[in-house]
Amino acid sequence: MIAAFEDLRGLEGLQRAPNRERHGLKLEWARRLSRSGHVLGRKAFEELSGVIRSLCIVAVDPATIREIFAQVVAEPQFAKVQIAEPQIAGEGAKIRVFHTDLEDIVTNVLRNSLQSSVLYSPKPIALGIDLVTEMDEITGLSTLAIRIKDRSTEQLSNEMLRGRYVERGMGITADLLSRYDGSIAVEPERGWQKAVVLRFFTVEEGP
């Protein structure tokens, strides 16, 4: 883009050129304008779009989840609570989401599970987190399911989540997920009381 702008420097000299030279100069500047317009228009759009796309791709792996979990556990409300290290399984995948939005989504669900577990689960409190890549056999689309499992006996249903469950911050979670065509659901989980499952479409790997 800088080179294209540099190429246009001197355009103002066209008006000061003698009449006999203007025709040739006009042809030259027409070529420059066409070339620069392509660079500053379509090429700039493509490059900037590529930068934006790269910024909103996150590789979700156990380290990512463990980092977010540590931030939630460090909150003052959990300072005096005995919380075990999370049981994290799965390799994860790349998804299209801004990292800050992913943090907000996962933080809200982890916080909700921990708050509920403080009141309604045996101690020490423990959560399990599975990173599962799922494939839709009909569409061929792949999704990453982040399954956050707890042992809290407090009731939580899909209807409560669809109703935004605002008092636990799940309204924010639902709004953020909708930006990325993601979803949230409560599902049964063997060995646990339930799992709150976040699903995101995965990013297709390039050649």
Side-chain angles (χ1 to χ4, degrees):
M1 290 176 66
I2 294 175
F5 282 121
E6 287 293 330
D7 197 31
L8 292 175
R9 292 182 65 181
L11 182 59
E12 68 278 2
L14 181 62
Q15 296 298 323
R16 297 195 297 269
N19 289 334
R20 63 180 180 277
E21 299 178 8
R22 284 187 181 180
H23 180 69
L25 288 173
K26 285 180 179 179
L27 292 176
E28 171 62 22
W29 278 110
R31 286 193 290 267
R32 288 199 189 187
L33 287 169
S34 177
R35 183 171 60 245
S36 298
H38 175 71
V39 172
L40 297 175
R42 179 176 298 276
K43 290 287 290 182
F45 174 80
E46 291 174 351
E47 291 293 332
L48 290 174
S49 296
V51 171
I52 293 172
R53 285 194 298 270
S54 68
L55 289 175
C56 70
I57 293 177
V58 175
V60 181
D61 55 21
T64 303
I65 300 300
R66 192 170 287 109
E67 180 180 346
I68 298 174
F69 184 88
Q71 293 173 358
V72 176
V73 171
E75 294 178 359
Q77 61 182 315
F78 301 121
K80 298 181 180 180
V81 180
Q82 186 179 0
I83 300 175
E85 286 294 315
Q87 303 173 33
I88 303 176
E91 296 182 0
K94 290 182 179 180
I95 61 175
R96 194 173 300 284
V97 61
F98 282 107
H99 194 279
T100 52
D101 286 344
L102 175 70
E103 282 191 350
D104 287 342
I105 292 167
V106 176
T107 292
N108 285 336
V109 178
L110 288 175
R111 182 184 294 122
N112 178 73
S113 292
L114 288 174
Q115 288 173 337
S116 181
S117 296
V118 167
L119 299 174
Y120 300 101
S121 76
K123 307 301 185 289
I125 294 169
L127 299 184
I129 304 162
D130 292 344
L131 304 176
V132 183
T133 301
E134 303 172 338
M135 179 69 71
D136 188 309
E137 295 181 357
I138 298 177
T139 64
L141 296 176
S142 173
T143 58
L144 173 66
I146 304 175
R147 305 183 63 87
I148 298 175
K149 307 176 293 186
D150 65 50
R151 295 191 174 95
S152 170
T153 57
E154 182 182 22
Q155 182 182 6
L156 181 62
S157 66
N158 287 326
E159 288 70 25
M160 295 170 71
L161 294 177
R162 295 189 187 104
R164 303 304 179 91
Y165 204 33
V166 175
E167 64 272 23
R168 289 284 182 82
M170 298 304 247
I172 297 173
T173 302
D175 287 339
L176 288 175
L177 280 166
S178 67
R179 299 179 187 177
Y180 304 100
D181 295 324
S183 66
I184 184 171
V186 181
E187 298 178 2
E189 187 73 32
R190 179 177 297 180
W192 302 79
Q193 284 290 331
K194 63 182 178 299
V196 178
V197 186
L198 302 165
R199 287 186 171 88
F200 298 86
F201 287 109
T202 61
V203 175
E204 295 293 332
E205 296 289 347

